[in-house]
């Protein structure tokens, strides 16, 4: 392997292994005009929806958004936005538009948020947005036994717990983030 390819291959390997391995954590932005800090997670996979047709499964994801007043603040509530990727014409929720979770310690149910302030990027595949207190999200992120549904669709929240823990770390330690 020549020198040129080695120079490209080593950084690319690290970027793929560490930068793209997870979309967890949080990006932090500060809006000086509103004196508000906004935290956003990356896209977190929480399951697959059997959508019929070729390929058969559509990825189900969640994004976490939260804001608070001040530059180095810690929010009290987060918004979880559940969405599907790809072709969405044959995917929808049946039953109530709620996010339900049962853990080893508690059971939670959150209703659809009806008002949006534009900070959640509206996507064609959005299924449900709910507001969750940080204390509940901490229980969800650290539970040893967990089951969840949105409108009758089962979620794999165990798979999302490490990303939720990284998000919580970022908002609990606001001075450690840019």
């Amino acid at each position: 392997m020549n020198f040129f390819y080695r120079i490209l291959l080593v950084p690319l390997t690290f970027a793929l292994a560490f930068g793209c391995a997870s979309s967890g954590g949080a990006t932090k932005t500060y809006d000086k005009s509103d004196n508000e800090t906004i935290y956003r997670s990356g896209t977190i996979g929480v399951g697959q929806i059997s959508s019929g047709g070729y390929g058969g499964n559509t990825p189900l994801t969640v994004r976490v958004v939260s804001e608070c007043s001040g530059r180095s603040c810690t929010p009290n509530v987060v918004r979880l936005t559940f969405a599907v990727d790809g072709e969405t014409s044959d995917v929808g929720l049946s039953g109530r538009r709620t996010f339900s979770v049962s853990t080893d310690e508690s059971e939670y149910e959150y209703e659809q948020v009806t008002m949006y302030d534009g900070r959640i990027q509206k996507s064609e595949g959005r299924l449900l947005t709910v507001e969750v207190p940080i204390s509940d999200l901490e229980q969800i992120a650290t539970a040893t036994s967990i089951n969840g549904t949105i409108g009758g669709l089962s979620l794999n929240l165990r798979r999302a717990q490490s990303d939720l823990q990284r998000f919580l770390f970022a908002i609990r330690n606001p001075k450690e983030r840019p």
Side-chain angles (χ1 to χ4, degrees):
M1 186 181 304
N2 72 31
F3 181 72
F4 178 73
Y5 287 117
R6 286 183 191 178
I7 290 174
L8 289 176
L9 187 59
V10 171
L12 181 61
T13 302
F14 278 104
L16 289 174
F18 299 106
C20 301
S22 173
S23 57
T27 58
K28 174 185 169 184
T29 56
Y30 176 68
D31 182 345
K32 191 174 186 177
S33 63
D34 290 335
N35 188 32
E36 187 172 66
T37 300
I38 303 162
Y39 298 91
R40 289 183 176 86
S41 75
T43 301
I44 302 169
V46 291
Q48 300 269 329
I49 299 173
S50 179
S51 59
Y54 185 74
N57 289 325
T58 301
L60 178 61
T61 62
V62 66
R63 286 185 155 240
V64 186
V65 176
S66 190
E67 63 269 336
C68 53
S69 296
R71 185 174 203 93
S72 294
C73 56
T74 302
N76 295 319
V77 175
V78 298
R79 284 188 304 265
L80 304 178
T81 299
F82 294 91
V84 291
D85 290 339
E87 180 59 46
T88 61
S89 61
D90 58 352
V91 176
L93 293 180
S94 62
R96 295 179 58 215
R97 298 185 70 77
T98 60
F99 169 49
S100 301
V101 180
S102 60
T103 68
D104 42 353
E105 296 181 15
S106 302
E107 291 191 14
Y108 307 97
E109 185 170 277
Y110 307 96
E111 298 285 331
Q112 165 77 36
V113 173
T114 56
M115 296 182 64
Y116 297 95
D117 65 2
R119 291 188 188 193
I120 299 173
Q121 292 183 357
K122 296 181 180 182
S123 67
E124 184 179 323
R126 185 180 63 219
L127 297 174
L128 178 73
T129 298
V130 295
E131 290 186 344
V132 176
I134 291 290
S135 58
D136 291 1
L137 189 64
E138 288 171 345
Q139 292 292 321
I140 292 167
T142 58
T144 56
S145 172
I146 188 164
N147 293 303
T149 61
I150 59 166
L153 299 172
S154 293
L155 303 175
N156 183 350
L157 295 175
R158 167 75 60 214
R159 183 174 145 192
Q161 283 182 305
S162 60
D163 288 329
L164 294 174
Q165 290 169 10
R166 283 191 289 279
F167 181 85
L168 287 165
F169 176 82
I171 65 173
R172 280 191 212 116
N173 300 287
K175 292 182 181 179
E176 294 183 26
R177 306 294 292 185

